Amino acid sequence: MDEFRVIEVKQNVMASNDAEADELRAALAHEGTTLVNLMSSPGSGKTTTLGRTIGALAREMSIAVMEADIDSDVDARTIAATGADAIQLHTGGMCHLDADMCRQGLDELADQLTHSGKDPHRDLVFLENVGNLVCPAEFDTGATANVAILSVPEGDDKPLKYPLMFEVCDLVLVNKMDVAPYFDFDLARFEDNVRSRNPKATVIPICAKTGEGMDAWYDWLRSLVRG
Amino acid sequence: MHELGIVFHVIDDIETLGRENDLSRVSSVTLELGEVSGVVPSLLQDAWRWAADRSDLLRGSELVCESTPAVTLCDACGRTYGTVEHGRTCPYCGSGDTHLLYGRDMTIKQIEAC
Ligand SMILES: Nc1nc2c(ncn2[C@@H]2O[C@H](COP(=O)(O)OP(=O)(O)O)[C@@H](O)[C@H]2O)c(=O)[nH]1
Ligand SMILES: [Mg+2]
Ligand SMILES: [Zn+2]
């Protein structure tokens, strides 16, 4: 009978994911690929925003989308209908993606592009993360930038309730500005709430439905892709 | 919510450790969870039972969770205080210009193995 003994480990649970994420980020920078991790609650407008963004930028740069929001291919088909290359990632019901799952998704995407006779290189890849304001923020995916979408009906207090999401993002898109007159959403108060958690974050109000305000977002993406 | 993802990372780390140290069985794993890590220990236990029993190294092993305090630093007066009791407002000077020093961390403290 073997003796069980105590072994001190003292290892941060996120350390291995963080290391994998940094590795992926460096590899992407080397390949000249910008990866944007898009996070929001379900229904905030991730897919709608992506569809319109692809329409606006597809002539300037090569774009692809990795869909992780729920294990059905509804969103991937919506994106494919815009003419962009999209793959559905299978998260197995997980509430988030980690760096390793993201890297596997990128490999799968490159395989699929090669298979269909296309150039596997993409200037810009979007990851539509699982619709959830809590869990995706916990895991560094290795993305070049993190973007959160908050839609007007969700309320301007969300940065106070879900601080981590707003701390990890570089940019916040405030979507569904067209319905602002029907909600007591205060954009200035929202910006204050974001800045109190994250002074560096940029806030851009948009309407993905009509395209209003989206030029500032496209410019932000352009300068990110240019590096 | 993301407890299963955390458990997978813990199991990966311990399996690596097991290979490096020629371990055959692990009977317990002790995690230190920061008070504001947002992890729910009972969900972590459920996820652990499900996932650990699928690993040869960790089958039947117990997960022990220990809580570690969260501490916030006030940038205005330089003092530190308990985050859970006082939140974002400094109890000494009333400033909201504060930031979390620690309390979000999750650490694998130790394992019992042979
Ligand atoms: N009124 C309004 N509705 C929007 C806007 N953007 C998206 N929607 C609607 O919100 C719903 C959810 O959008 P979707 O893009 O699927 O959200 P996702 O779950 O984050 O991908 C759909 O019915 C969209 O048509 C907007 O700017 N204004
Ligand atoms: Mg979607
Ligand atoms: Zn103070």
Side-chain angles (χ1 to χ4, degrees):
Chain A
M1 183 75 193
D2 290 324
E3 283 292 316
F4 280 95
R5 61 197 158 97
V6 173
I7 303 171
E8 267 209 24
V9 182
K10 289 278 171 225
Q11 185 170 327
N12 189 296
V13 174
M14 290 300 175
S16 51
N17 185 64
D18 289 349
E20 283 165 3
D22 287 340
E23 223 173 274
L24 178 58
R25 220 175 343 265
L28 289 168
H30 184 74
E31 292 162 19
T33 296
T34 299
L35 176 65
V36 173
N37 175 23
L38 196 55
M39 297 176 283
S40 84
S41 309
S44 300
K46 294 181 294 301
T47 307
T48 309
T49 302
L50 286 179
R52 191 171 278 281
T53 303
I54 290 159
L57 297 180
R59 281 176 303 276
E60 304 169 33
M61 53 184 89
S62 54
I63 305 177
V65 177
M66 299 196 292
E67 280 298 340
D69 196 6
I70 62 166
D71 248 335
S72 95
D73 60 357
V74 178
D75 286 347
R77 275 190 281 133
T78 307
I79 297 295
T82 69
D85 295 292
I87 62 161
Q88 176 67 46
L89 302 184
H90 297 285
T91 57
M94 289 275 258
C95 53
H96 64 275
L97 258 96
D98 61 20
D100 191 49
M101 292 157 85
C102 185
R103 188 192 48 75
Q104 287 176 34
L106 288 163
D107 290 347
E108 208 180 298
L109 175 66
D111 277 355
Q112 186 186 298
L113 292 170
T114 307
H115 245 76
S116 36
K118 293 176 184 169
D119 178 2
H121 173 81
R122 284 293 177 268
D123 301 320
L124 177 59
V125 177
F126 288 107
L127 168 63
E128 178 170 341
N129 212 315
V130 183
N132 177 331
L133 280 181
V134 182
C135 312
E138 298 276 349
F139 294 84
D140 188 342
T141 57
T144 317
N146 291 319
V147 174
I149 302 186
L150 188 285
S151 63
V152 164
E154 293 171 73
D156 52 34
D157 60 348
K158 284 299 168 291
L160 305 179
K161 292 184 177 160
Y162 302 95
L164 189 60
M165 174 58 69
F166 294 90
E167 277 167 37
V168 301
C169 64
D170 303 288
L171 173 79
V172 185
L173 294 173
V174 183
N175 189 33
K176 308 194 186 180
M177 285 305 288
D178 56 316
V179 300
Y182 310 103
F183 294 89
D184 57 353
F185 187 94
D186 183 333
L187 187 60
R189 190 162 60 208
F190 177 74
E191 287 184 67
D192 281 349
N193 288 342
V194 171
R195 299 259 150 69
S196 79
R197 313 310 317 204
N198 180 354
K200 290 193 295 279
T202 308
V203 176
I204 301 177
I206 61 165
C207 176
K209 195 174 165 182
T210 63
E212 216 177 315
M214 290 186 67
D215 286 338
W217 154 241
Y218 301 151
D219 284 341
W220 186 87
L221 284 171
R222 284 185 186 106
S223 67
L224 189 70
V225 168
R226 262 186 243 118
Chain B
M1 298 289 274
H2 50 283
E3 279 75 3
L4 188 58
I6 289 164
V7 160
F8 284 148
H9 279 282
V10 172
I11 289 177
D12 274 354
D13 285 348
I14 294 172
E15 283 183 335
T16 304
L17 195 82
R19 279 190 299 275
E20 288 167 358
N21 294 279
D22 248 339
L23 304 176
S24 54
R25 278 198 59 205
V26 172
S27 60
S28 83
V29 174
T30 305
L31 287 188
E32 288 177 335
L33 302 176
E35 274 181 320
V36 296
S37 64
V39 174
V40 182
S42 65
L43 295 181
L44 207 58
Q45 292 291 357
D46 292 345
W48 181 261
R49 199 64 288 131
W50 186 86
D53 288 349
R54 280 159 183 74
S55 152
D56 287 336
L57 182 65
L58 289 150
R59 188 164 299 116
S61 62
E62 179 195 8
L63 180 70
V64 181
C65 295
E66 294 177 358
S67 173
T68 58
V71 174
T72 294
L73 173 68
C74 173
D75 295 321
C77 74
R79 275 181 276 201
T80 58
Y81 62 86
T83 310
V84 172
E85 300 88 300
H86 303 290
R88 303 199 55 231
T89 307
C90 175
Y92 301 106
C93 73
S95 171
D97 194 8
T98 59
H99 70 268
L100 186 70
L101 277 186
Y102 47 85
R104 206 176 261 156
D105 287 359
M106 288 173 281
T107 309
I108 306 171
K109 183 187 178 191
Q110 62 183 42
I111 61 175
E112 278 181 281
C114 66

